[in-house]
Structure formats: structure tokens, C-alpha cells
Amino acid sequence: MPREVVIVGAGIVGLACAHHLLAEGWRVRLVERGGVAEGASFGNAGALAFTDVLPLASPGILRKAPRWMLDPLGPLALPPAYLPHIAPWLLRFWRASLPDRHRHATEVQSGLMRLAAQAMEAMVESAGLAERLRRNGNLELYESEAEFAASAPGWAAREREGIAFEHVRGARLAELQPGLSPRFVAGTFTPNWMSVDDPHRFALALHADVTARGAALTRGEVRDIAPQGEGVRLTLADGTALTCDACVLAAGAWSRGLARRLGDRVPLDTERGYNTTLPPGAFDLRRQLTFGGHGFVVTPLSTGIRVGGAVEFGGLHRPPNFARADAMLRKAAAFLPGLRTDGGRQWMGFRPSLPDSLPVIGPSRASPRVIYAFGHGHLGLTQSAGTGRIVADLLAGRRPEVAAALRAGRFG
Ligand SMILES: Cc1cc2nc3c(=O)[nH]c(=O)nc-3n(C[C@H](O)[C@H](O)[C@H](O)COP(=O)(O)OP(=O)(O)OC[C@H]3O[C@@H](n4cnc5c(N)ncnc54)[C@H](O)[C@@H]3O)c2cc1C
């Protein structure tokens, strides 16, 4: 009789865990309180940013942050009332950006990205999703020679990790993306950066595949997870109890309370992000463009042109402030003259973020049969398949090398 695993959360991370656990012979049940992939996995920028190995917690971000926060609709926002809640997280973020810790986190992130890229290729092949991948790279853009020069240490660090890139100007820049505003003096092209056709469609297709392979879905909100005998018991909001041999907690930004019940204090918070999806054809966009100085990207999807990013602290309950999405759209119109900005759909999502810019993937304190898979911040789609592979390894008793640095216990 195959063993049964319950996965809490049917976002892209839970779905990728389902894919890998089915391949190992587990009976899989997803428990989801909303729709499949309607959390952060719904409206993200769709990037498979395997080359994005530098943790956000970095000296560079700390230098930019004060300037960014002066603009009330800028790339980084922190409502004063949320400051007391987020202060311990910010303190950890600052510590994680110190040179030694930043170097260590870069090595861990690079290892995880190598695994994530391999696992994603294998997953899309096996789930029949290959035609949803776009292998057209990313173009990062600079508005001044000073901004370009300031990016040099980051590119040197990526070079040490074996990341391919090309600095471009003039005709080459215009060839990679015609129609850019002349304010951009240079760019950096990362050819191995990929995107999906649309993150929600990609996740739904993965869900269809795991369902065809036997995964079940229960609608309901998990209120408690606890070890029971040789297995695990989950309690849902309506009082239903589910018992299983193992459990994966993949509830994205909402994972902290359940981890706490399992004895782990994890400093998970959310970096809220905004975007607008314009109708297809709003611009002749050749690939994803990153406006690093402004904290947002523009991505061509099968469902339209998505403009957005930014980080807003503010927790899970404050209403969205879509003026942030409007502000990014106005900037995009200046950067891409001719961009048609009418007819857009706005969205806000909750990135599940840990202060050291690495996810938590590993066993809970309460039981090795409850595995955490949350906290992927800006990179959950990118690292979803890699996370699924690590989770399947851990539940099979294997110890993947990268997992040691991703344990919940690293926060003390
Ligand atoms: C604006 C923006 C742009 C982004 N761009 C990118 C990008 O280009 N590339 C990239 O890799 N990442 C990107 N991200 C990050 C990425 O979207 C997330 O890291 C990723 O979607 C997290 O996936 P998840 O499955 O962990 O969480 P989610 O997708 O949020 O899924 C968690 C699920 O758990 C469910 N749930 C929660 N609590 C319970 C409970 N108690 N019981 C049952 N169900 C529960 C929720 O309903 C939800 O469906 C972006 C994020 C934002 C906001």
C-alpha cells in the first residue's frame, strides 16, 4: 500500500511538490482553502530567473533603500504603522546583508538555482509543459553610466557563480529590444533566464497533470498540523480530520502560524507586489525587461504584457494600494514610448519572504514527517521544481547537500 502525503497549499510550490512525490510513488492529496494557484502563484511576473543568484539582502539594496523610500509610490514602501511589526525582520535582513553572510547566501542560492534549473527542465518535460517555456533571456537596463558602473560588482559575483551574461549598447541593445527610450545608455543580457507563458496557466497545467497522475484535491483551510503516532494529523476549519504518513507545508505567505504550532518560530513576512497586465499587443516586447533602478519588470505573456514588481511591507490584511501599480505603469510608458496603457488588469500578490532571501525547505521541529516548503520570496516559481525535488528526497530519507542551509532552525 503506497504511503499518503498531504500537501497544504496548491500554489506553484505545493504543485511541484505533488509532481515530485507522485514520481516517488506517494499517494498525494493537496489541501487548498481557495482556488488552485490563486495566491502569489497567480499573477507573478512569470520569470524562471535561474541566473538571479544574488540574495536581495545585500549592501547594494541597503544603499538604494533610503532613496527608494523617499518616493511614496516608489519601489519600496513601509507604512509607519507596520514598522513595529516588521522591525525584527528588517534587523535580520540587515544582518543577512553583511559581507560574510551575503557571500554564504549567494553560494547557497547558486546551488539551489542549479538544482532548480535541472529539476524544472525535467518537470516540464515529464508533465508536457515544455511549450509553455520561453527561452528568450532577460535584459536589464541602465539609465546612466553611473548606474551601469554600480552594477559591476554584482555581475562579477554572478560570473564567479558561472552565470552567462553580455553587456550591451547601441545597435545590440536596440536589436534585443527595439523602441526603448534613449534614456537607457546600456543593458545586460542574461540569455539563460527563461519565462513561462503565463504563471497561472502554467500552474493550472501542472495541476491538470498531477491530477491525471492521481493527486486528489480537498477544499478546506488547515488549522492545525500535529504528529500522531507514526504519522501526521491535520485539522481543517470545518472540524474534518485528515491523517496521513507525511505532510508538506507549502502555504506560501500564510505558513508562519502553522509552523509555530509545530514548534518553529520562523520570521516569515510578506513583501507585497503589484502589477498591471495590459492586453496582448500593447507593445512589441521581445523578452522580459528589468528596470533595476526602479524595482520593476515588464514581461511578455500569452495573456498580455505584465508591468510590475516593487515591494510593500504591510502584512496580509491591509487593503491594496493600487496607486503603486499606476505609478509603475506611468514609468513603463516613459521607458517604452508607444506602450498602450489602456485596458489593464491590476493585481497584488503576497510574496512569502524570509529576511535572508532563502526559502525554508526542511523538516519541522515536531516531526521529520512534516516538511516545510515555503518562503521563496521573489523566486517561488523559479525554485518550485527544485523545492519539490528536495522535499521528495527528504521524505525518502535522502539528504540533499543544499538542504542543510535551508532548515527552519537556521533562525535560532
Ligand atoms: C508581483 C510579484 C511578482 C513575482 N514575480 C516572480 C517571478 O517572476 N518569478 C518567480 O519565480 N517568482 C515571482 N514571484 C514570487 C512568486 O509568486 C512566489 O514566490 C510563489 O508564487 C510562492 O508560491 P507558493 O506556492 O509558496 O505560495 P502561493 O502561491 O501563495 O500558494 C500558497 C497557497 O496556500 C494556500 N493556503 C494558505 N494557507 C492555507 C491553509 N491554512 N489551508 C489551506 N490552504 C492554505 C493559499 O490559498 C495559496 O493558494 C513574484 C511575486 C509577486 C507578488
Side-chain angles (χ1 to χ4, degrees):
M1 186 70 176
R3 293 157 304 158
E4 178 163 7
V5 58
V6 170
I7 300 171
V8 183
I12 192 64
V13 172
L15 294 167
C17 290
H19 172 90
H20 284 85
L21 289 164
L22 286 164
E24 295 264 336
W26 288 84
R27 269 190 303 136
V28 171
R29 175 171 302 280
L30 290 149
V31 182
E32 169 57 58
R33 66 178 178 194
V36 170
E38 290 186 356
S41 303
F42 178 83
N44 63 54
L48 298 177
F50 301 120
T51 57
D52 202 2
V53 297
L54 300 186
L56 263 187
S58 65
I61 289 285
L62 291 184
R63 271 196 301 276
K64 284 183 193 169
R67 182 169 46 85
W68 278 355
M69 286 179 64
L70 285 178
D71 175 357
L73 296 178
L76 181 60
L78 170 49
Y82 200 66
L83 183 59
H85 298 276
I86 196 73
W89 191 101
L90 291 174
L91 185 62
R92 286 179 187 273
F93 184 90
W94 170 74
R95 277 203 223 113
S97 70
L98 296 174
D100 278 3
R101 295 195 186 194
H102 181 68
R103 240 188 325 273
H104 168 73
T106 304
E107 281 165 23
V108 176
Q109 192 74 302
S110 299
L112 180 55
M113 287 298 199
R114 280 191 291 275
L115 177 77
Q118 287 166 9
M120 181 60 76
E121 293 282 3
M123 185 172 84
V124 298
E125 188 58 41
S126 133
L129 306 179
E131 84 288 355
R132 293 182 179 275
L133 252 51
R134 296 180 170 181
R135 300 171 188 274
N136 50 4
N138 176 70
L139 182 60
E140 169 128 21
L141 293 157
Y142 311 102
E143 285 177 280
S144 66
E145 292 301 337
E147 188 187 358
F148 179 51
S151 74
W155 292 111
R158 289 181 185 94
E159 193 163 27
R160 285 194 292 278
E161 298 298 332
I163 304 297
F165 60 87
E166 179 193 358
H167 293 313
V168 294
R169 290 172 184 275
R172 177 72 174 135
L173 181 59
E175 176 199 338
L176 287 168
Q177 181 54 60
L180 283 172
S181 157
R183 67 202 288 160
F184 295 105
V185 299
T188 305
F189 178 51
T190 36
N192 297 329
W193 178 296
M194 300 181 217
S195 299
V196 297
D197 62 337
D198 173 274
H200 189 224
R201 289 187 177 179
F202 182 81
L204 290 182
L206 182 58
H207 180 238
D209 185 71
V210 298
T211 303
R213 291 172 196 245
L217 175 67
T218 296
R219 303 277 176 183
E221 176 168 343
V222 175
R223 287 279 173 83
D224 189 38
I225 306 173
Q228 185 182 56
E230 292 294 288
V232 183
R233 177 188 169 94
L234 293 92
T235 310
L236 308 194
D238 66 2
T240 308
L242 296 175
T243 53
C244 51
D245 300 290
C247 171
V248 179
L249 176 56
W254 298 271
S255 302
R256 189 171 66 184
L258 288 169
R260 179 79 192 91
R261 296 186 74 84
L262 289 152
D264 290 289
R265 280 182 189 274
V266 183
L268 179 71
D269 213 293
T270 179
E271 293 175 75
R272 298 147 54 116
Y274 291 84
N275 57 39
T276 305
T277 306
L278 300 169
F283 194 77
D284 176 18
L285 192 63
R286 304 289 169 90
R287 62 198 77 253
Q288 184 167 67
L289 307 179
T290 298
F291 302 106
H294 298 271
F296 77 94
V297 300
V298 181
T299 316
L301 301 171
S302 59
T303 46
I305 297 220
R306 187 158 288 166
V307 179
V311 166
E312 178 190 56
F313 294 105
L316 295 167
H317 304 297
R318 295 171 77 90
N321 175 4
F322 284 112
R324 297 195 183 291
D326 295 333
M328 287 184 278
L329 194 57
R330 278 196 299 277
K331 283 186 181 173
F335 298 167
L336 304 173
L339 176 73
R340 286 194 299 280
T341 55
D342 50 318
R345 279 172 288 120
Q346 294 182 319
W347 177 78
M348 186 199 60
F350 297 98
R351 297 185 190 92
S353 297
L354 289 154
D356 60 0
S357 314
L358 296 170
V360 165
I361 311 173
S364 67
R365 182 186 290 259
S367 166
R369 291 163 177 271
V370 181
I371 304 288
Y372 296 141
F374 60 79
H376 298 76
H378 296 239
L379 294 166
L381 171 62
T382 306
Q383 297 180 336
S384 55
T387 301
R389 185 177 284 177
I390 295 171
V391 165
D393 278 348
L394 291 170
L395 281 178
R398 299 186 290 268
R399 293 282 169 266
E401 205 184 319
V402 67
L406 303 174
R407 296 178 338 265
R410 70 181 188 267
F411 297 105

